[in-house]
Amino acid sequence: SSFSLDAEYQWKGPFYFIQGADPQFGLMKAWTHGDTKNGDDEWAEEIKLAEQAVQAINKLNPKPRFFVLCGDLVHGMPGTRWKQKQEQDLKDVLKNTDQDIPLVFVSGNHDIGNTPTKETIDDYCKNWGDDYFSFWVGGVFFLVLNSQLYSDSSKCPELRQAQDAWLDEQLAVATNQKCKHIIVFQHIPLFLRKPDEDNDYFNLDKLVRQEIMEKFHKAGVRAVFSGHYHRNAGGSYKGVEMVVSSAIGCQLGHDPHGLRVVVVTEEKVVHRYCSLTELGSHGIEKELLDMLAEQK
């Protein structure tokens, strides 16, 4: 990635990035056919949506600093028949992203399996890059986490321990560097609406969740962005905002296929979910553009 620490750890004024989630090539047919294990042998619809997302992003002016995809890149689980073809088709679409807009990938449960192993994670890393890492953009510290390790690390407990140790270290670095904000990306939301909601397929287990939320709160994390739910949702815990974005691909609720525009100013992090159609035809709304123009 082109975000070197030296160039990027100082605040240089407002900027924005684009968050997308769950292009999940193959889910739409699997979902309509009621066969989410083997029904994902077609994904022409998802290819079109991903192309629409890339075209919308390429037209934006000013350009976003990066485009982050928060997991479930494709529907096929590790080792399943169509996974490699789905991944290749997604790569072919993403290759057309403007070369000045770096891509940031986050691993989802479909990318590394509901119960990941060292092998499935290695395979993901070969294809998409590290499963967890950090980077700086203009005085803001970004963390990408592998949320599957918090969901079920029974087959690779040592990898979860490694991520935990790394995360503590990174949060300490962020504090020392006096960054403007800390922003986290992960696939599975900590919670969908309330920090103490019941366990569910779409959130993290309460005990794990409590521990992570408290850790983020103490470190001063500003926001956590995730996908997985295929609907928009969110809430907050002691000043840490949880933002759940709907999918580029299959919608499980009533949201349009879309992307989230996230503006980072010195004081705050402001975001809007936009349908692909709206973003492609109108670009970024005036209110957000005005925020970007401030204090330059």
Side-chain angles (χ1 to χ4, degrees), residues 60-107:
L60 295 173
N61 186 19
K63 288 187 201 309
R65 289 300 303 270
F66 61 88
F67 170 29
V68 57
L69 266 173
C70 279
D72 281 2
L73 304 172
V74 303
H75 184 64
M77 286 279 184
T80 55
R81 186 172 172 193
W82 307 107
K83 187 178 184 69
Q84 279 181 305
K85 183 77 179 88
Q86 289 168 351
E87 290 190 318
Q88 191 51 55
D89 283 355
L90 177 60
K91 287 178 185 174
D92 289 343
V93 172
L94 293 174
K95 273 181 198 139
N96 298 318
T97 310
D98 184 316
Q99 59 191 31
D100 295 331
I101 305 171
L103 292 168
V104 176
F105 297 106
V106 181
S107 63

Side-chain angles (χ1 to χ4, degrees), residues 18-23 66-74 87 90 94 103-112 124-125 128-133 135 142-148 163 184-189 224-228:
I18 297 289
Q19 181 217 5
D22 303 271
F66 61 88
F67 170 29
V68 57
L69 266 173
C70 279
D72 281 2
L73 304 172
V74 303
E87 290 190 318
L90 177 60
L94 293 174
L103 292 168
V104 176
F105 297 106
V106 181
S107 63
N109 55 308
H110 281 261
D111 305 310
I112 58 178
Y124 170 87
C125 294
W128 304 102
D130 292 341
D131 59 322
Y132 58 89
F133 56 96
F135 60 96
F142 291 93
L143 289 161
V144 169
L145 297 180
N146 178 344
S147 56
Q148 220 44 42
Q163 175 170 256
V184 175
F185 299 119
Q186 57 186 58
H187 178 62
I188 300 183
V224 179
F225 288 88
S226 70
H228 188 53

Side-chain angles (χ1 to χ4, degrees), residues 3 6 15 35 87 89 97 106 109 111 114 125 178 184 186 190 192 200 211 216 226 229 259 268 271 274 277 294:
F3 301 130
D6 297 344
F15 64 89
D35 179 3
E87 290 190 318
D89 283 355
T97 310
V106 181
N109 55 308
D111 305 310
N114 287 327
C125 294
K178 309 256 185 295
V184 175
Q186 57 186 58
L190 294 164
L192 299 172
D200 177 308
E211 196 182 313
F216 285 173
S226 70
Y229 191 43
L259 293 164
K268 52 190 185 211
H271 50 87
C274 296
T277 321
E294 275 165 37

Side-chain angles (χ1 to χ4, degrees), residues 271-291:
H271 50 87
R272 300 268 191 289
Y273 185 82
C274 296
S275 74
L276 297 179
T277 321
E278 187 188 3
L279 196 63
S281 55
H282 302 298
I284 299 168
E285 58 185 73
K286 185 174 184 315
E287 188 190 345
L288 296 180
L289 283 172
D290 288 348
M291 293 176 87

